[in-house]
């Protein structure tokens, strides 16, 4: 019974490089959420995706950030031309169905991105 | 803009003490309030609250929601060092299940 998996767990990039973060949801879950956690802060919502669709990207910066959740394969959060301010822990969560009375989200272990 | 505020930001107690953590919110289209425990890695789910006045309990932890005053509390009795963690409050809004998180309360339990 694998939970949410994220890789890599740690990622180091130099300014200007690209970062790709992967998230495999719990088997059978079709809803994926990405959150960012800066040091000493809570989780901030970035984007909510269902298979092949972005449902809500209101928390995602309009430039350099993109996310996808293809029909096959993991969800990808992509950050282009990273800057030092992108250094954070990025958590992915999945849930089985939205619109239900209980929508517990299961979190992955996170990817810690460090931008040098 | 949806807002979730937790207090205190940090708390240091001794084993055996009882603590109360607070979470207040201002959101549109409230669906549920959730409490998570985070210990240096992924948050783990504690409680989900949707109805006012109904206490949820799990061992030494309990939580209750007041939808009229827009807040929730998380109580931990007879604290242990293993309770040391960041406790996050999140409010689920709308049909999409998007959650807005507070900044967390860092609890340190000293032996």
């Amino acid at each position: 019974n694998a939970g949410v998996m994220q890789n890599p767990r740690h990622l180091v990039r130099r300014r200007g490089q690209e970062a790709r973060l992967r998230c495999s949801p719990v088997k059978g879950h079709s809803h994926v959420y990405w959150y960012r956690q800066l040091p000493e802060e809570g989780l901030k919502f970035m984007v909510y995706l269902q298979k092949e669709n972005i449902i809500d990207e209101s928390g995602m910066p309009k430039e350099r950030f993109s996310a996808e959740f293809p029909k096959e394969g993991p969800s990808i959060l992509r950050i282009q031309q990273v800057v030092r301010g992108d250094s954070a822990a990025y958590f992915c969560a999945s849930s089985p169905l939205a619109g239900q009375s209980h929508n517990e989200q299961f979190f992955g272990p996170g990817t810690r991105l460090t931008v040098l | 803009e949806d807002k979730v505020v937790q207090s205190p930001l940090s708390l240091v107690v001794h084993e055996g003490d009882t603590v109360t953590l607070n979470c207040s919110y201002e959101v549109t289209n409230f669906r549920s309030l959730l409490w998570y425990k985070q210990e240096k890695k992924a948050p783990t789910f504690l409680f989900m609250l949707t109805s006012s006045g109904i206490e949820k309990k799990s061992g030494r932890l309990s939580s209750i929601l007041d939808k009229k005053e827009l807040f929730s509390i998380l109580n931990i009795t007879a604290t242990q060092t293993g309770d040391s963690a960041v406790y996050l409050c999140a409010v689920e809004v709308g049909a999409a299940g998007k959650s807005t998180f507070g900044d967390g309360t860092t609890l340190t339990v000293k032996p």
Side-chain angles (χ1 to χ4, degrees):
Chain A
N1 250 351
V4 178
M5 293 193 290
Q6 290 186 248
N7 68 80
R9 296 290 305 275
H10 299 273
L11 182 61
V12 179
R13 285 286 177 266
R14 295 192 180 279
R15 279 180 298 171
Q17 291 184 319
E18 179 180 288
R20 275 183 182 242
L21 288 63
R22 293 175 190 76
C23 168
S24 296
V26 173
K27 190 176 179 183
H29 285 191
S30 55
H31 299 262
V32 165
Y33 306 80
W34 284 94
Y35 295 88
R36 177 164 63 176
Q37 188 172 37
L38 294 168
E40 312 297 324
E41 291 187 17
L43 292 121
K44 304 292 185 211
F45 169 80
M46 296 182 74
V47 61
Y48 161 48
L49 309 106
Q50 293 179 24
K51 286 281 187 182
E52 299 184 277
N53 285 307
I54 296 174
I55 306 302
D56 184 342
E57 56 182 346
S58 57
M60 200 151 70
K62 301 228 181 308
E63 296 179 354
R64 303 188 297 107
F65 286 72
S66 62
E68 62 176 10
F69 188 16
K71 190 175 176 183
E72 302 289 339
S75 175
I76 307 283
L77 179 68
R78 183 178 173 214
I79 312 172
Q80 295 178 288
Q81 298 176 316
V82 295
V83 300
R84 288 220 174 103
D86 297 332
S87 295
Y90 292 83
F91 288 95
C92 166
S94 74
S95 68
L97 286 169
Q100 304 296 304
S101 60
H102 177 82
N103 192 39
E104 177 189 342
Q105 294 179 11
F106 296 80
F107 281 82
T111 293
R112 296 201 176 274
L113 172 65
T114 302
V115 179
L116 301 177
Chain B
E1 186 183 333
D2 295 334
K3 193 162 62 169
V4 177
V5 178
Q6 291 186 246
S7 64
L9 286 180
S10 65
L11 193 54
V12 181
V13 300
H14 287 95
E15 274 192 314
D17 289 350
T18 293
V19 297
T20 298
L21 310 183
N22 303 290
C23 174
S24 64
Y25 60 92
E26 287 179 38
V27 302
T28 52
N29 204 3
F30 173 93
R31 279 176 58 85
S32 64
L33 185 144
L34 303 101
W35 285 96
Y36 292 87
K37 179 182 182 183
Q38 186 176 24
E39 300 170 90
K40 292 187 180 175
K41 34 174 115 167
T44 53
F45 173 79
L46 294 175
F47 297 110
M48 189 191 76
L49 303 152
T50 54
S51 302
S52 264
I54 299 175
E55 186 183 50
K56 294 266 180 110
K57 271 183 82 75
S58 176
R60 296 176 293 102
L61 277 67
S62 63
S63 184
I64 197 161
L65 173 67
D66 185 329
K67 288 170 77 172
K68 186 178 174 188
E69 300 296 330
L70 307 182
F71 78 91
S72 173
I73 59 172
L74 175 68
N75 275 324
I76 309 175
T77 59
T79 52
Q80 302 170 357
T81 53
D83 295 328
S84 296
V86 176
Y87 290 84
L88 294 166
C89 171
V91 175
E92 186 190 357
V93 297
K98 165 185 163 183
S99 289
T100 299
F101 281 80
D103 284 343
T105 293
T106 301
L107 174 65
T108 303
V109 181
K110 293 190 170 181

